[in-house]
Amino acid sequence: MGIAGLLIGTMLSTLLLVVFGRRRKVRLVQPPKPSRSSVSPARPSRNLVAVPMPVMATAHRAPAVARQHLDLLQGGLISESTLESTKSELSTLLEQGKQTLVESRLQAGLQYVVQVRALAEIGTEAAGRVLERQIDRRLSDDPLEQAWYRIDLAHSLRQMRRRESLPRLLESSATAIDEPLCHLWAAELVGFPGFGEMVLSSNSVLATHARRVLTVAMEGFRFGTVPLSLLVEAKLGEVMRRLFQQSPTMGDPLTARVALEVLRQLRRVEHVRRALAGDPAWAAALDRQFKRLASIEAHCRSYLERALLDLPERLPIAAPAEQVEILLTMHSLRCGHASLIPLVMDRNYPHRSVAMSCLAWASDPKSRDVLVGLANQAFPTHGDFHRVDAFTVRDRLALLRALHRHGTPSAEKLLLRIVRSDDPTFRLHAIRSLGWNDPTDPAAVVGTLQQASLDPHPEIRQRAVAALARLGDRAALQEVRERLAVDSHDEQRQGMQLIIEEGLSWLWPDLDRLADAEDPEVAFLAREALEQMREDCLGPLA
């Protein structure tokens, strides 16, 4: 299987499964090709802890738009007659100077992708200006639907090779990376002519935006949601080599995240080579880009080691916009530091939940006591903790997740209390923080988790089984193991993802066997799962 078939196929099946389950035909598109599965990407977020969103299946247009785009990504084609008639109509309006009327025609729905692609094929300056004015326009309140429209727009502008639109697109990156499908959107920007120049730009604002987008695209390479062919087409190995050979400013959080992604990619070189064993042309092209990355490995490692010292010092004095980038980078590097304590204690600090997540990596007793103390304030023993307005939902979720690294009796007691509460969201996160340390009260922990494994909510049941598996429960381990033995790629992918997310190192041998599977996709997914597990065990710089 070639690179396109392997990596694009894994991306599409993930999207199909996560968004809507089964597929169906959609208007405007030719019959699609079959798809396969992959390890679901973890979406980068400036909050790190995702607040649950309403189920989107109740909206009618969003599922149709999503299915339409998934079919297009699989190789489906927009109806030629529909595209030509739309081009003719919009071209006539543009020739008559009616750009405002053309913009008014660009509305949410199945016709949007046809209209923006028609404008891209028209290719005039007027058509380009119409498209560019849509960059900041929000067509839907549904995040998934809006994400598809954002991708459509970026794709059309890229097809026009409209370099002058790239800075405007990059400016929206600070919010776009928190939206669904951010890896696909980032891939469109990385493919723009001139993107590499933006990464290396002396304009610090543009360079920051470009490096943010680059890190998201690099994550997509690892997760299989962005084809590695883009690494070749955009010559990203060369771009990153130039970035680190020009002695970038020390302590820049976005540059540090680029450096971290370089090291992660280099650890996966052999996996990619094995996946492309039957495609020598692509293998050779990718190998050239990987050699560029290998030439800067020492630079990247040195930069990150220095960043571990510089970033905590810069945090208190940085501007608010830079602080969140510093926090995200510290979290990626597992850097807990005393400079975080004043931030988590400030109830008005806008990035408090991110700071809490970072502080989880601190190993000193003071940081542990601060986190446990805040958690007890956020979840008081008596009364409705929802009425404690000193903590947002994100704050509470961040605290619960942070406690998994601090296995004290008081933290365990609090988590057990939350598991028995009436709120399913907080119950879920409390369950996910149990079982990472030897329990101080084994009977209470195991009994509570066994009861939770019978919960009416499927996600809570699954995470309770995973927590029992973390503690070595044989029946729970076997239940998770069975998900790897089925013929369904989707079930195997979900099983691998559960093992990664829940730190089930007991099942490392099972993943290791799958890494040598005859099916190249299963082997690729298992190797990625093993790499993520390795980083979880040894740290990002090991």
Side-chain angles (χ1 to χ4, degrees), residues 129-195:
R129 286 198 299 268
V130 168
L131 288 172
E132 191 171 317
R133 283 195 289 270
Q134 309 309 305
I135 291 175
D136 298 321
R137 184 181 176 194
R138 192 162 191 91
L139 293 166
S140 174
D141 292 331
D142 183 279
L144 181 64
E145 184 180 2
Q146 179 62 31
W148 285 119
Y149 298 143
R150 181 184 291 110
I151 293 167
D152 289 337
L153 184 61
H155 177 80
S156 296
L157 288 167
R158 181 169 69 88
Q159 290 301 108
M160 293 183 71
R161 301 186 65 80
R162 193 174 169 84
R163 297 169 67 109
E164 59 267 39
S165 299
L166 183 56
R168 287 279 310 280
L169 287 164
L170 289 172
E171 288 172 4
S172 65
S173 66
T175 54
I177 64 167
D178 287 336
E179 299 294 330
L181 310 177
C182 60
H183 298 108
L184 298 183
W185 175 83
E188 292 291 349
L189 271 60
V190 167
F192 255 81
F195 177 81

Side-chain angles (χ1 to χ4, degrees), residues 224-270:
T225 56
V226 175
L228 277 166
S229 56
L230 185 62
L231 187 65
V232 175
E233 294 164 4
K235 298 181 179 178
L236 294 182
E238 178 63 25
V239 170
M240 288 180 276
R241 184 185 69 83
R242 291 173 59 193
L243 172 61
F244 286 97
Q245 285 187 342
Q246 70 179 20
S247 300
T249 303
M250 298 303 295
D252 175 60
L254 269 304
T255 304
R257 295 218 290 277
V258 172
L260 181 57
E261 287 302 322
V262 169
L263 298 185
R264 286 168 167 164
Q265 289 296 331
L266 289 173
R267 287 199 291 267
R268 290 158 171 80
V269 171
E270 290 305 317

